[in-house]
């Protein structure tokens, strides 16, 4: 391929061939990094590759953005407090579709790709599912050619680094920016003031005497843009992820400086910069801290200013806003976008309420990710009044008009008004962010069919009755680029060898594998790849824990945030049951299993942290007992994160998706495992329901209470003792936990677990489902023994999982919520 050159003969750094890549890698070492072969480190090598890729990405990025501007495309803005991106190097190379070229270029200069890849620290700017979903969506929006942009916060510290000390979780700060982030560029000229505090003042408009409001005497913090290129898969498109960093307002500092308060001014600086200091590490529990509210408004205000600036560059007619802009809020966290857009339109643009409302209501949509009541954001009115006084008044006015609507349809039903009010009245009144979203948004969606149905039937029943068309389902998905092509290259190549590579952008193509499920030769190749992936994980386990695991044993994996509703406890107790069986009969013929856990507990979630300790305690006992450890191992891997998921998922035989029915909104790990040829053991919860529909009842292990049965049992009065007394094996393990069998050094350690299960009503119904789980695990074992049949089932899972591509999810959002057509670019 001829090298591209500019008219003056200077080579443009965009060649996708081996030679151009090699040259640029070499040039960057000397000319950008000022290093040579004597002084370079692995980090420098990594950076030279990143810089060479960025040369190419930036070129496409500019072309893409120029094209969007030229065709005046409708823009989609994804607002999220979290982006759980992980590493980017592999992903960029995969999406530029130059894997071979980079490998060749590196070979030419004697660099080891795996070593270079390991120099990169995960960008862990998210907690779990919601953050990873945002990252998958970015990939799919770029791949489909949706003119989209992600907005978020550039936290100095992402999700904490987890270590295990004596089996207990210890949190360490995540210094992901220690050596800088080579992927993003700061845009110092793109910065906006974000205002806080102050008060609302009223005045008469000079032209017509109308009453107007103004937000005055605020404190300002600057939001500075940091941009990361997000390439689509092999399509020339590069979208933007714009993360805001808080900086002090320079003018303010100078004023203080002049008054001789230099040190005070600097202190003040730190206060302001604190806004983007750290990601809140809780998922599904609302913390009503002012700093969190500041973060949410900071994201909303900066993004909205940027969105409006871009809109005004090509439009002077505000009524066109909903035709040109769609804003998607990732949960309620950015729902202040609703009063913020109202504020700008009312106060700055001088629009009437009705016009402003029409525009707002038609541009913003919101996604709900949970039914758990403790996760719902309810901000104390006192806090909102202090931090955002003008917004509070706008929210009151939105609510006043909404109450009028209720009155018009239902009469003076004060009960209904209280239940649906955006303002939760009472001793400590709160702003109910989900209600704000429902009243102010164009669409509200759940993330799996079951979850969306439950939203309509339970949490938002009365809202649904009023606004039946407002609610919609968008079943989650995952990007096949990262979660198959990139993390499981051998399986990807096998698939491509047989059915071509169209599956990468059209996952339904995997259906073509169905006939191969019966094919013994294909099964053999498939099984060989699984075994190789298990060997890699086994050697990682050996390196990090010094435990030997047998790659031929069944790898039974549960990775996700540690939470009682996800019931890691149930899987741990199953390990204890297996242990007891083996101790009773060491010759028992069971399928050798390696049960592997990973996940972080919120730092303040004492019970979840105790579950981690219990898993580790059971593991210590099992792994060190020569009578059982040939057949059973139990491990908890430290610091679960995207990079570890990429190694664990391709190595799994069994995927644990065992939440109490009705509690997991969707789950997305379930999809990743199935895509990589693991079979699921799971409850009829979240997207498991749809996975079962797709893969077929014979190819998934479903057990336990349904949502309706859970409800019914609660209604009747659930008594965990009934289950304790009815099952000898369950009784035995619980008695062991209580007696300190797993914690001889501290026999009372796990008493709180017993209390939760037996004395406090076992809210998550571990005991109610335990027997069914143990029985289902027996069926798993039986199925695993029939190797060829197991492989057939695993292949069918891969073949039938196409629905769960985030490309399908995003196409649905684009068609049914955003009404934003894709664009095509010449590559
Ligand atoms: C809210 C307020 C203050 C501080 C933190 C939060 C907060 C942060 C994160 C609340 C919730 C979260 C995360 C929720 C989450 O990850 N939900 C998961 O979303 C996935 C994607 O839709 C689903 O697949 C999972 O079922 C759901 O649990």
């Amino acid at each position: 391929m001829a090298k591209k050159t500019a008219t003056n003969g200077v080579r443009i750094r965009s060649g996708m061939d081996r030679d151009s890549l090699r040259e640029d890698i070499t040039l960057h070492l000397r000319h950008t990094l000022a290093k040579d072969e004597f002084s370079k480190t692995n980090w420098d090598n990594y950076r030279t590759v990143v810089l060479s890729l960025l040369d190419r990405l930036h070129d496409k990025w500019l072309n893409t953005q120029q094209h969007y501007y030229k065709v005046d495309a409708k823009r989609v803005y994804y607002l999220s407090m979290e982006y759980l991106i992980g590493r980017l190097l592999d992903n960029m190379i995969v999406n530029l579709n130059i894997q071979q070229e980079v490998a060749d270029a590196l070979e030419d200069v004697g660099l080891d790709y795996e070593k270079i890849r390991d120099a990169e620290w995960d960008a862990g700017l998210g907690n779990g599912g919601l953050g990873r979903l945002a990252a998958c969506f970015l990939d799919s929006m770029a791949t489909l050619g949706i003119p989209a942009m992600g907005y978020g916060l550039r936290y100095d510290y992402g999700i904490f680094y987890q270590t295990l000390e004596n089996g207990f979780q210890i949190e360490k700060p995540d210094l992901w920016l220690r050596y800088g982030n080579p992927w993003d560029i700061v845009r110092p000229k793109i910065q906006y003031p974000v205002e806080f505090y102050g008060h609302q003042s009223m005045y008469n408009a000079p032209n017509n005497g109308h009453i107007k409001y103004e937000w005055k005497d605020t404190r300002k913090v600057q939001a500075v843009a940091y941009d990361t290129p997000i390439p689509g898969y092999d399509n020339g498109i590069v979208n933007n992820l714009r993360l805001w960093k808080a900086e002090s307002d320079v003018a303010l500092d100078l004023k203080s400086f002049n008054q001789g308060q230099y040190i005070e001014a600097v202190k003040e600086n730190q206060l302001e910069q604190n806004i983007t200091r750290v990601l809140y590490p809780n998922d599904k529990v609302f913390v009503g801290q002012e700093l969190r509210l500041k973060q949410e408004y900071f994201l909303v205000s900066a993004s909205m200013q940027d969105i409006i600036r871009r809109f005004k560059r090509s439009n002077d007619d505000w009524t066109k806003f909903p035709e040109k802009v769609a804003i998607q809020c990732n949960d309620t966290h950015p729902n202040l976008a609703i009063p913020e857009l109202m504020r700008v339109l009312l106060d700055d643009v001088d629009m009437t309420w009705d016009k402003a409302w029409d525009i707002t209501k038609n541009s913003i949509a919101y996604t709900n990710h949970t039914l758990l009541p403790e996760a719902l954001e309810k901000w104390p009115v006192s806090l909102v009044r202090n931090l955002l006084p003008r917004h509070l008044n706008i929210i009151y006015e939105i609510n006043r008009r909404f109450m009028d609507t209720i009155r018009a349809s239902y009469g003076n039903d004060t009960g209904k008004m209280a239940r649906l009010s955006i303002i939760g009245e009472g001793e400590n009144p709160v702003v109910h962010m989900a209600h704000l979203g429902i009243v102010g948004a164009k669409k509200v969606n759940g993330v799996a069919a079951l979850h969306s149905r439950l939203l309509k039937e339970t949490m938002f029943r009365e809202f649904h009755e009023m606004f039946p068309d407002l609610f919609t389902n968008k079943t989650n998905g995952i990007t096949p680029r990262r979660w198959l092509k990139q993390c499981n290259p051998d399986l990807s190549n096998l698939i491509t060898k047989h059915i071509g590579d169209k599956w990468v952008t059209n996952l339904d193509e995997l259906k073509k594998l169905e006939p191969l499920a019966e094919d013994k030769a294909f099964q053999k190749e498939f099984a060989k790849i699984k075994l190789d992936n298990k060997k890699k994980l086994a050697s990682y386990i050996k390196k990090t824990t010094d435990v030997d695991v047998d790659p031929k044993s069944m790898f039974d994996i549960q990775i996700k945030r540690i939470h009682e509703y996800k019931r890691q406890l149930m899987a741990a107790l199953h390990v204890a049951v297996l242990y007891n069986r083996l101790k009773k009969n060491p010759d028992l013929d069971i399928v050798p299993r390696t049960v592997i856990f990973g996940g972080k507990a919120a730092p303040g979630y004492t019970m979840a942290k105790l579950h981690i300790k219990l898993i580790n305690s059971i593991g210590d006992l099992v792994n060190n007992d020569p009578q059982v450890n040939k057949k059973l191992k139990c491990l908890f891997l430290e610091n679960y994160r995207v990079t570890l998921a990429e190694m664990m998922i391709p190595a799994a035989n069994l995927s644990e998706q065992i939440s109490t029915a009705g509690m997991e909104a969707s789950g997305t790990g379930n999809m990743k495992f199935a895509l990589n040829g693991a079979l699921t053991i799971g409850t009829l919860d979240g997207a498991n329901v749809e996975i079962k529909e797709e893969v077929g009842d014979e190819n998934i292990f479903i057990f336990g209470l349904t949502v309706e049965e859970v409800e019914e049992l609660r209604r009747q009065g659930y008594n965990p003792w009934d289950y304790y007394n009815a099952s000898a094996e369950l009784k035995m393990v619980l008695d062991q936990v209580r007696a300190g069998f797993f914690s001889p050094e501290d026999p009372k350690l796990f008493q709180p677990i017993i209390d939760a299960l037996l004395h406090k009503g076992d809210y998550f119904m571990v005991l109610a489902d335990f027997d069914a789980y143990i029985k289902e695990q027996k069926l798993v074992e039986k199925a695993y023994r029939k190797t060829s049949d197991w492989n057939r089932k695993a292949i069918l899972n891969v073949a039938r999982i196409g629905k769960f591509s985030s490309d399908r999810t995003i196409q649905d959002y684009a068609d049914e919520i955003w009404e934003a057509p894709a664009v095509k670019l010449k590559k």
Side-chain angles (χ1 to χ4, degrees):
M1 197 167 121
K3 286 176 193 164
K4 271 203 215 167
T5 54
T7 40
N8 62 1
V10 177
R11 202 167 64 83
I12 298 170
R13 300 188 295 197
S14 55
M16 293 294 192
D17 55 299
R18 172 187 197 150
D19 294 343
S20 318
L21 285 163
R22 184 190 55 239
E23 271 178 54
D24 287 339
I25 289 169
T26 312
L27 286 172
H28 275 303
L29 183 70
R30 188 169 190 89
H31 296 283
T32 312
L33 299 182
K35 288 285 189 110
D36 58 23
E37 61 197 290
F38 306 107
S39 55
K40 70 177 186 175
T41 64
N42 190 44
W43 175 255
D44 295 319
N45 290 334
Y46 161 72
R47 284 201 58 199
T48 59
V49 180
V50 173
L51 286 161
S52 308
L53 295 172
L54 283 172
D55 289 338
R56 280 118 189 113
L57 287 160
H58 289 170
D59 189 44
K60 297 178 193 300
W61 202 3
L62 290 168
N63 291 341
T64 305
Q65 301 307 319
Q66 201 182 84
H67 183 78
Y68 291 162
Y69 178 75
K70 229 171 51 203
V71 302
D72 191 20
K74 179 166 186 179
R75 309 284 185 140
V76 172
Y77 298 110
Y78 200 78
L79 266 56
S80 179
M81 290 289 284
E82 307 195 5
Y83 290 92
L84 197 43
I85 291 171
R87 288 178 179 166
L88 276 173
L89 183 62
D90 249 351
N91 192 242
M92 296 294 194
I93 294 170
V94 164
N95 279 18
L96 288 171
N97 204 9
I98 49 171
Q99 281 172 296
Q100 192 56 52
E101 291 80 354
V102 172
D104 292 343
L106 290 179
E107 194 191 310
D108 291 347
V109 288
L111 290 177
D112 173 8
Y113 181 64
E114 302 233 326
K115 196 167 162 216
I116 287 178
R117 186 178 56 187
D118 283 341
E120 183 168 352
W121 196 263
D122 274 44
L125 307 184
N127 275 286
L130 166 149
R132 183 54 233 176
L133 187 76
C136 284
F137 280 6
L138 293 177
D139 186 82
S140 283
M141 291 188 292
T143 295
L144 291 178
I146 309 273
M149 175 131 145
Y151 283 111
L153 298 183
R154 190 178 192 266
Y155 303 107
D156 295 327
Y157 302 94
I159 188 68
F160 63 85
Y161 187 96
Q162 177 196 55
T163 63
L164 296 170
E165 291 177 22
N166 186 27
F168 289 100
Q169 166 175 297
I170 305 293
E171 301 91 20
K172 307 258 163 76
D174 163 50
L175 297 166
W176 76 293
L177 294 172
R178 188 167 12 208
Y179 310 115
N181 173 9
W183 293 109
D184 66 5
I185 17 180
V186 56
R187 303 282 192 199
K189 300 292 267 189
I190 304 181
Q191 59 172 288
Y192 302 99
V194 176
E195 301 182 72
F196 295 103
Y197 303 108
H199 55 91
Q200 166 182 295
S201 89
M202 197 170 76
Y203 65 99
N204 292 100
N207 52 341
N208 54 18
H210 286 171
I211 290 175
K212 295 237 352 168
Y213 295 95
E214 177 178 28
W215 184 15
K216 282 180 70 170
D217 302 325
T218 55
R219 274 163 52 189
K220 290 189 185 64
V221 181
Q222 290 296 119
V224 182
Y226 284 72
D227 290 352
T228 304
I230 305 290
Y233 179 74
D234 199 23
N235 64 355
I237 285 183
V238 177
N239 283 345
N240 191 7
L241 170 61
R242 177 160 287 174
L243 301 181
W244 303 106
K245 179 178 159 68
E247 295 276 9
S248 68
D249 183 63
V250 178
L252 193 89
D253 295 348
L254 282 179
K255 197 173 72 193
S256 302
F257 184 67
N258 290 339
Q259 289 162 6
Q261 293 170 335
Y262 176 72
I263 294 293
E264 293 312 305
V266 174
K267 271 194 198 151
E268 191 74 356
N269 263 346
Q270 285 183 3
L271 271 178
E272 278 142 0
Q273 289 168 6
N274 270 342
I275 292 179
T276 52
R277 190 72 74 210
V278 61
L279 166 80
Y280 271 85
N282 357 48
D283 72 329
K284 316 218 185 72
V285 53
F286 170 64
V287 288
Q289 289 180 6
E290 184 183 57
L291 180 59
R292 169 74 185 195
L293 186 60
K294 275 188 181 165
Q295 289 184 336
E296 294 184 357
Y297 182 64
F298 186 75
L299 166 65
V300 161
S301 166
S303 308
M304 201 58 88
Q305 292 180 66
D306 203 40
I307 290 167
I308 288 171
R309 181 193 54 117
R310 192 170 302 105
F311 171 75
K312 291 221 291 207
R313 227 163 41 193
S314 344
N315 291 278
D316 44 23
D317 179 0
W318 273 98
T319 64
K320 292 265 155 45
F321 193 79
E323 280 168 45
K324 289 292 164 197
V325 172
I327 297 170
Q328 188 69 38
C329 294
N330 199 17
D331 215 293
T332 53
H333 316 156
N335 274 1
L336 285 169
I338 293 161
E340 172 66 0
L341 183 54
M342 286 299 287
R343 186 189 65 80
V344 172
L345 296 176
L346 294 168
D347 298 357
D348 301 349
V349 186
D350 202 13
M351 218 175 256
T352 63
W353 182 278
D354 288 337
K355 276 193 181 151
W357 185 247
D358 193 58
I359 288 169
T360 302
K361 179 83 192 164
N362 286 303
S363 358
I364 301 178
Y366 133 70
T367 305
N368 173 287
H369 294 267
T370 185
L371 286 157
L372 303 186
E374 63 270 26
L376 291 178
E377 287 196 290
K378 293 180 185 174
W379 288 103
V381 162
S382 54
L383 229 165
V384 182
R385 178 182 294 118
N386 185 42
L387 192 68
L388 304 165
R390 177 69 185 123
H391 295 80
L392 182 66
N393 281 316
I394 290 170
I395 293 168
Y396 274 139
E397 180 60 13
I398 293 172
N399 198 42
R400 191 187 65 76
R401 289 165 182 256
F402 177 50
M403 292 295 118
D404 284 348
T405 319
I406 298 183
R407 219 174 274 114
S409 315
Y410 299 92
N412 207 23
D413 184 342
T414 50
K416 187 183 274 291
M417 295 203 295
R419 286 190 301 278
L420 302 193
S421 179
I422 298 169
I423 306 296
E425 298 290 358
E427 212 178 310
N428 297 305
V430 291
V431 177
H432 199 320
M433 297 297 279
H435 293 191
L436 177 62
I438 292 170
V439 175
K442 175 184 184 190
K443 290 279 174 191
V444 176
N445 75 284
V447 290
L450 173 67
H451 167 65
S452 298
R453 173 169 75 79
L454 293 174
L455 281 180
K456 295 196 275 193
E457 291 176 357
T458 63
M459 209 159 76
F460 300 147
R461 189 177 56 78
E462 288 178 279
F463 284 110
H464 177 242
E465 204 178 284
M466 281 187 84
F467 313 114
D469 299 334
L470 181 68
F471 294 88
T472 165
N473 174 245
K474 297 285 164 278
T475 297
N476 282 165
I478 57 171
T479 168
R481 271 72 65 188
R482 185 178 289 261
W483 297 112
L484 182 53
K485 190 170 166 65
Q486 184 186 321
C487 74
N488 201 342
D490 293 341
L491 182 57
S492 298
N493 291 335
L494 176 69
I495 293 170
T496 298
K497 191 175 89 188
H498 283 88
I499 65 168
D501 66 358
K502 289 213 197 72
W503 62 270
V504 179
T505 49
N506 178 8
L507 206 60
D508 288 324
E509 285 277 316
L510 292 178
K511 283 254 146 56
K512 294 187 175 152
L513 292 172
E514 274 200 33
L516 290 162
E518 307 280 352
D519 181 326
K520 290 277 157 8
F522 185 82
Q523 284 180 6
K524 223 175 129 190
E525 288 186 275
F526 182 88
K528 160 92 168 51
I529 289 164
K530 182 62 79 181
L531 183 64
D532 287 346
N533 292 333
K534 289 165 77 176
K535 284 180 183 162
K536 281 181 209 146
L537 181 58
S539 80
Y540 174 83
I541 290 173
K542 175 70 182 165
K543 199 177 76 194
T544 52
T545 69
D546 203 31
V547 176
D548 288 294
V549 304
D550 175 6
K552 293 222 161 64
S553 65
M554 180 204 299
F555 278 22
D556 170 349
I557 304 189
Q558 187 173 19
I559 40 179
K560 48 186 81 246
R561 286 299 286 248
I562 312 296
H563 202 295
E564 284 163 287
Y565 85 82
K566 295 177 187 277
R567 300 197 293 192
Q568 280 92 356
L569 182 56
M570 194 158 72
L573 296 178
H574 174 239
V575 176
V577 165
L578 294 178
Y579 172 83
N580 288 336
R581 286 181 191 162
L582 283 168
K583 286 304 276 185
K584 197 166 153 204
N585 177 7
D587 298 325
L588 191 71
D589 178 27
I590 72 163
V591 169
R593 268 196 210 234
T594 304
V595 183
I596 313 172
F597 297 85
K600 291 173 182 174
Y605 193 170
T606 312
M607 186 58 77
K609 290 173 119 175
L610 199 55
H611 289 182
I612 293 178
K613 172 63 181 172
L614 177 63
I615 292 168
N616 281 310
S617 298
I618 294 174
D620 283 344
L621 185 73
V622 169
N623 301 343
N624 294 308
D625 188 330
Q627 262 188 321
V628 303
N629 67 13
K630 301 270 172 318
K631 294 176 183 164
L632 185 62
K633 289 266 164 65
C634 172
L635 296 128
F636 192 103
L637 300 187
E638 208 165 72
N639 200 36
Y640 176 63
R641 60 197 185 282
V642 171
T643 296
L644 200 45
E646 288 166 1
M647 187 180 340
M648 294 175 81
I649 291 168
N653 299 114
L654 187 64
S655 152
E656 298 270 353
Q657 310 298 336
I658 58 180
S659 51
T660 317
M663 294 198 159
E664 189 70 273
S666 163
T668 45
N670 45 4
M671 303 165 186
K672 294 164 197 165
F673 279 106
L675 180 60
N676 284 275
L679 300 197
T680 303
I681 181 164
T683 48
L684 282 177
D685 198 14
N688 296 354
V689 177
E690 290 159 83
I691 292 177
K692 168 177 168 287
E693 279 168 17
E694 295 295 306
V695 304
D697 295 4
E698 338 70 63
N699 302 308
I700 188 166
F701 298 92
I702 297 291
F703 73 96
L705 301 171
T706 62
V707 174
E708 289 71 27
E709 288 163 348
V710 166
E711 235 168 63
E712 177 60 18
L713 188 54
R714 279 201 213 289
R715 223 179 38 76
Q716 285 174 4
Y718 165 54
N719 183 4
W721 288 99
D722 296 345
Y723 298 86
Y724 170 86
N725 290 315
S727 158
E729 286 193 309
L730 174 59
K731 183 171 183 311
M732 179 166 174
V733 292
L734 291 182
D735 289 349
Q736 286 171 324
V737 172
R738 176 172 42 206
F741 180 75
F742 302 109
S743 54
E745 74 291 350
D746 183 0
K748 288 263 158 295
L749 181 63
F750 298 122
Q751 185 61 39
I753 294 178
I754 297 301
D755 290 343
L757 293 179
L758 289 173
H759 305 294
K760 293 183 182 171
D762 182 20
Y763 184 72
F764 302 97
M765 300 200 160
V766 174
L767 272 53
D769 272 342
F770 196 71
D771 198 44
Y773 179 59
I774 299 296
K775 288 200 174 115
E776 200 64 31
Q777 287 284 16
K778 275 219 164 136
L779 296 181
V780 169
E781 184 172 329
K782 212 173 134 199
Y784 194 76
R785 286 179 196 275
K786 300 185 198 148
T787 308
S788 158
D789 209 42
W790 180 278
N791 288 329
R792 186 180 58 79
K793 289 174 195 285
I795 295 163
L796 286 177
N797 267 263
V798 179
R800 296 176 177 172
I801 208 69
K803 171 177 173 185
F804 303 98
S805 167
S806 47
D807 298 344
R808 186 270 312 150
T809 312
I810 287 300
Q811 191 66 60
D812 287 353
Y813 275 91
D815 292 343
E816 293 162 27
I817 299 180
W818 305 331
E819 300 169 273
V823 308
K824 269 217 152 56
L825 261 189
K826 267 198 282 169
K827 262 202 273 173

